[in-house]
Amino acid sequence: MLSDLKLVIFDLDGVLTETSRQHFKAWQTLAAKYDIDLDPSFEVHLKGVSRKASLDKILSLSSRHFTEAEKDAMQAEKNAHYQQLIANFSKEDCFEGAHELLHFLQKKGIHMALASASKNGPKLIRALEIDRYFGYVADPTQHPGKPAPDLFLAPMHHYGLTPNQCLGVEDAVAGIAAIKAANMTAIGIGELGSLPEADAEYTTLADFAQVIMKHLT
Ligand code: BG6
Ligand code: MG
C-alpha cells in the first residue's frame, strides 16, 4: 500500500494540533449558559462534526426549543470564544513530530492535503506555520460534513488519484468513517482501541510519523 502512496490527507484538530480541547471547552461554556451540562464523555460525538451539527447535538440534550436566530447567535458566540482560546497559537503548538513529518513527505514528493471540518482551518495552519505544505485545502463549506467521504475525495480528485494512492489521518470516529467511505486507508490517532474502524491506530502523531518515515526511507 505505501508503495503506491501519492497523497496524505490530514485532519487538523486533534491530529496536527491539540485544538479539540479548545473546541470542547468553548462548547461547554456555551452549553452551561443554557443549563446544559456537557460531560467530557460527550466530546467523542463532537469531534470532526461541523459547528452547526455540533450545536444541534448539544441542544438535543435540552428540552427547550431554540429559534434559528438563537442558534446562529450561539454558533457565533462559541466561535468567538474558540478563536480567543487559540489566539496565541504558533509553530510550537503543532503536535510533536508534525513539522518533521510534513517536511519529510514534501521531500519525498508526496502531496499533502487538509480535510478539516473547521472553517478556522486555513487561518490555523497559517498560525502553525504549516500552510506551505498543503497543496490542497478542502473547503468545508462546499462539501457535506464527515462521515460523508467528500472532504477526503475532493483532494483525491484534485490530484487525479485513486483511493489506493491516498492515506487519511484522523482522530475522530466521524473522520475515520469518512476516510473508509472514500475507500482509502485510515490512520487513527488517539487512545488505542478508540477508533476501531481505522486500519491502523497510533497513540500520537509522533508514533505514526516514526513508522511512516521508516517505511518510506
Ligand atoms: C472539526 C472539530 O475539526 O471542526 C470540531 O473536530 C469542530 O470539533 C469542527 O466543530 C468545525 O469547526 P469550526 O472551527 O468551523 O467551528
Ligand atoms: Mg479532528
Side-chain angles (χ1 to χ4, degrees):
M1 184 279 304
L2 281 181
S3 54
D4 293 334
L5 185 64
K6 297 277 188 294
L7 169 65
V8 181
I9 309 171
F10 290 92
D11 173 47
L12 175 59
D13 300 314
V15 165
L16 294 169
T17 180
E18 186 43 293
T19 32
S20 302
R21 209 160 5 108
Q22 285 80 357
H23 274 296
F24 191 61
K25 189 166 186 238
W27 282 129
Q28 273 183 318
T29 306
L30 181 90
K33 283 178 84 170
Y34 297 90
D35 296 323
I36 302 168
D37 182 25
L38 262 198
D39 189 83
S41 62
F42 200 75
E43 187 183 357
V44 68
H45 302 298
L46 303 179
K47 280 188 183 178
V49 176
S50 76
R51 197 180 308 167
K52 188 171 186 309
S54 295
L55 180 67
D56 286 340
K57 282 181 187 230
I58 292 165
L59 295 184
S60 73
L61 301 172
S62 168
S63 49
R64 237 190 87 181
H65 172 79
F66 297 90
T67 65
E68 286 307 312
E70 280 176 312
K71 289 201 241 178
D72 287 349
M74 287 170 164
Q75 287 183 66
E77 186 177 335
K78 182 267 174 177
N79 191 48
H81 186 196
Y82 170 71
Q83 288 185 338
Q84 204 184 315
L85 293 173
I86 62 161
N88 295 324
F89 264 46
S90 68
K91 197 175 176 178
E92 281 69 45
D93 290 289
C94 271
F95 276 145
E96 190 194 328
H99 282 278
E100 199 186 352
L101 173 61
L102 298 173
H103 183 70
F104 174 87
L105 293 172
Q106 188 177 55
K107 274 181 69 179
K108 285 279 161 195
I110 293 171
H111 297 297
M112 284 160 277
L114 197 74
S116 173
S118 175
K119 294 182 204 168
N120 290 290
K123 196 173 164 204
L124 183 55
I125 58 171
R126 282 198 297 277
L128 296 169
E129 296 182 32
I130 53 173
D131 52 312
R132 65 181 180 281
Y133 293 113
F134 297 102
Y136 186 87
V137 176
D139 181 351
T141 67
Q142 298 303 310
H143 302 284
K146 303 166 190 178
D150 306 58
L151 285 167
F152 288 89
L153 290 174
M156 181 191 88
H157 290 136
H158 172 80
Y159 287 110
L161 298 172
T162 51
N164 63 310
Q165 296 172 307
C166 306
L167 198 67
V169 190
E170 263 288 353
D171 70 315
V173 173
I176 295 289
I179 300 171
K180 293 317 296 173
N183 271 317
M184 296 172 187
T185 300
I187 303 295
I189 306 293
E191 196 183 320
L192 298 183
S194 62
L195 298 166
E197 305 302 323
D199 295 293
E201 286 180 279
Y202 297 91
T203 312
T204 64
L205 183 76
D207 290 346
F208 166 61
Q210 257 189 10
V211 172
I212 192 169
M213 291 196 297
K214 198 171 156 204
H215 270 82
L216 293 173
T217 299

